[in-house]
Amino acid sequence: MKPIFYSGILALSMAGCGNPQGDNSTLRSALKDKFHIGTALSVAQLTGGDTLSERVARENFSAIVPENCMKSMFLQPREGEFFFDEADKFVGWGEANNMWITGHCLVWHSQAPLWLCTDKDGNNVSPETLAERLKSHITAVVTRYKGRIKGWDVVNEAILDDGSWRKSKLYEILGEELIPLAFRFAHEADPDAELYYNDYSMALEGKRNAVVQLVKTLKERGLRIDAVGMQGHIGMDYPAVEEFEKSLLAFAETGVKVMITELDLTVLPSPRPNTGAAVEASFDYQKELNPYADGLPDSVATAWTSRMADFFRLFLKHQDKITRVTLWGVCDDDSWRNDWPVPGRTDYALLFDRKGHAKPVVDVIVGASKP
Ligand code: G3I
């Protein structure tokens, strides 16, 4: 059956009204035989600071990933001192609500504690020391949640858009062994856990080819890798759906599954040509860069619905290759997009609005997922 698309008028009449039947479980139930539909959860949602998004997450999604609390600088801020409180709450919430739980992320150049790569004088540690520290971090974290966290973003964002290695401190010290080592340590800690490589700008040819090569190399070395995570930090004019599809197919051809791991669609103007999600990018606030502070014009909302629907149609078309589609946040005001790459803006990047209402695209997705 052809997917149902709302006309502009119908989309307008439904905007902000949520699911017409008031049945918020339809997203999860419509997709249940296709792929997990997930969301990132923030600490505020886990600790009672944001009960609206917590409820929306509980009712609409079947999978969760921690937005921040499992990053290494939060889990092990000082060597040997682990802080698991929030991560424990996250996993407990997931189990209580019957969610597929993914851990994010074991190795990332960003949000890593300073001590990880340096000695007490601030010099880079030796490859042996870094490998030992990574092993100890990965082993402690993965072991703690063994059998409970079903899959891990083992390495995040280690490849640049042109396909070259990111020259992070981790890479400076360990070189290309960084990724195989991390996958080995994770597998040793929980042989049953799925293991993923996760990155943004995956529709770019350079990155596509490099990730394909990475998966092949890991497999040739006998290391476990179950899926490639394609972050979906997309805009209204990037990437082309066809380029995204090419990458999805190229990854699947290597024999792994594909996950759409961090989906959000910004409507805001970018201060520079933008295809990525590099957290360090930052520009000063200017009013012209925040055009929808008082609400989204109907024409823009309709265009947003149509573009998000295009991506979901692609995911449904390749449902045999995709095991999870995860939104990077629950409701629009949760989204990191409101503060990146320009702080203090009002964006509309997610499937649920600021009142927790399902946007019209949710019904489009439900309709498109029917046989
Ligand atoms: O927790 C500290 C708090 O103690 C401190 O007072 C406050 C002051 O700035 O910062 C808080 O940390 C912030 C953290 O989010 C938790 O809220 C960091 O400043 C902020 O930079 C961090 O941003 C996160 C970013 O990753 C960097 O870790 C975003 O929320 C999160 O959405 C974003 O997620 C990344 C994925 O992990 C990887 N892919 C790209 C994606 C978007 O950048």
Side-chain angles (χ1 to χ4, degrees):
M1 191 179 98
K2 226 170 153 302
I4 302 159
F5 286 97
Y6 290 109
S7 69
I9 292 171
L10 182 50
L12 298 187
S13 70
M14 292 186 59
C17 295
N19 186 298
Q21 282 79 41
D23 175 9
N24 278 333
S25 67
T26 52
L27 184 64
R28 182 176 53 200
S29 46
L31 295 172
K32 86 172 165 350
D33 297 325
K34 311 204 180 286
F35 40 69
H36 288 293
I37 181 77
T39 181
L41 284 188
S42 71
V43 171
Q45 287 143 13
L46 295 167
T47 52
D50 182 358
T51 49
L52 173 69
S53 289
E54 190 270 343
R55 177 182 59 74
V56 175
R58 186 161 22 88
E59 291 175 353
N60 294 279
F61 292 95
S62 63
I64 55 167
V65 60
E67 184 173 4
N68 285 303
C69 70
M70 284 194 175
K71 291 171 182 172
S72 57
M73 70 177 273
F74 297 119
L75 282 183
Q76 196 182 176
R78 283 166 295 280
E79 187 168 14
E81 275 182 46
F82 285 89
F83 178 77
F84 284 117
D85 292 11
E86 286 165 356
D88 286 352
K89 283 196 182 104
F90 165 80
V91 175
W93 188 95
E95 289 179 326
N97 292 290
N98 202 21
M99 299 278 166
W100 170 271
I101 308 175
T102 301
H104 172 87
C105 44
L106 296 171
V107 177
W108 189 25
H109 67 281
S110 184
Q111 311 301 109
L114 273 180
W115 62 264
L116 182 63
C117 293
T118 51
D119 64 19
K120 60 181 175 12
D121 301 317
N123 300 314
N124 283 0
V125 294
S126 66
E128 293 73 22
T129 300
L130 179 56
E132 197 43 54
R133 288 178 179 180
L134 285 175
K135 182 174 187 180
S136 133
H137 180 81
I138 292 171
T139 305
V141 175
V142 175
T143 305
R144 186 175 184 91
Y145 301 111
K146 191 172 176 173
R148 302 172 72 197
I149 287 196
K150 306 295 183 202
W152 287 94
D153 288 339
V154 179
V155 178
N156 195 41
E157 301 170 11
I159 295 172
L160 295 175
D161 291 356
D162 64 2
S164 61
W165 297 109
R166 182 186 292 280
K167 309 300 179 298
S168 65
K169 259 196 188 307
L170 295 163
Y171 178 85
E172 251 176 54
I173 299 170
L174 280 172
E176 293 179 26
E177 277 310 295
L178 170 67
I179 301 180
L181 277 174
F183 275 79
R184 179 157 72 76
F185 298 151
H187 184 59
E188 284 168 2
D190 184 355
D192 293 329
E194 293 189 354
L195 305 180
Y196 320 129
Y197 176 76
N198 188 50
D199 213 327
Y200 59 77
S201 293
M202 294 287 239
L204 296 178
E205 191 182 0
K207 195 166 279 200
R208 175 193 307 145
N209 294 337
V211 172
V212 164
Q213 190 50 52
L214 170 65
V215 175
K216 287 183 177 164
T217 303
L218 291 174
K219 282 175 167 275
E220 277 160 19
R221 291 180 60 168
L223 292 161
R224 177 170 183 164
I225 174 164
D226 295 273
V228 166
M230 298 179 73
Q231 296 182 20
H233 299 298
I234 57 177
M236 296 301 286
D237 55 6
Y238 67 88
V241 176
E242 297 73 25
E243 293 301 306
F244 199 92
E245 182 175 32
K246 270 190 207 163
S247 295
L248 197 161
L249 293 174
F251 301 148
E253 269 165 31
T254 66
V256 294
K257 291 292 184 186
V258 173
M259 296 178 157
I260 313 303
T261 52
E262 302 183 15
L263 183 61
D264 49 33
L265 169 55
T266 182
V267 289
L268 295 180
S270 177
R272 61 133 201 239
N274 177 7
T275 56
V279 285
E280 59 278 7
S282 181
F283 298 85
D284 290 341
Y285 179 88
Q286 295 166 45
K287 206 160 181 272
E288 313 80 79
L289 293 175
N290 190 23
Y292 310 126
D294 298 325
L296 201 57
D298 294 338
S299 59
V300 183
T302 303
W304 185 95
T305 302
S306 165
R307 176 135 169 102
M308 186 58 104
D310 283 348
F311 273 89
F312 267 92
R313 268 196 307 175
L314 179 75
F315 305 153
L316 287 166
K317 176 178 166 191
H318 295 300
Q319 58 188 267
D320 58 323
K321 302 172 182 65
I322 294 177
T323 51
R324 174 169 59 94
V325 175
T326 287
L327 277 293
W328 201 240
V330 184
C331 299
D332 280 341
D333 53 351
D334 303 324
S335 171
W336 75 298
R337 290 288 204 169
N338 295 301
D339 290 300
W340 182 91
V342 179
R345 298 198 293 177
T346 305
D347 209 340
Y348 300 82
L350 298 169
L351 298 186
F352 292 84
D353 69 17
R354 285 172 167 75
K355 291 184 173 151
H357 293 148
K359 294 184 184 175
V361 74
V362 170
D363 286 307
V364 179
I365 296 165
V366 169
S369 67
K370 291 195 176 130

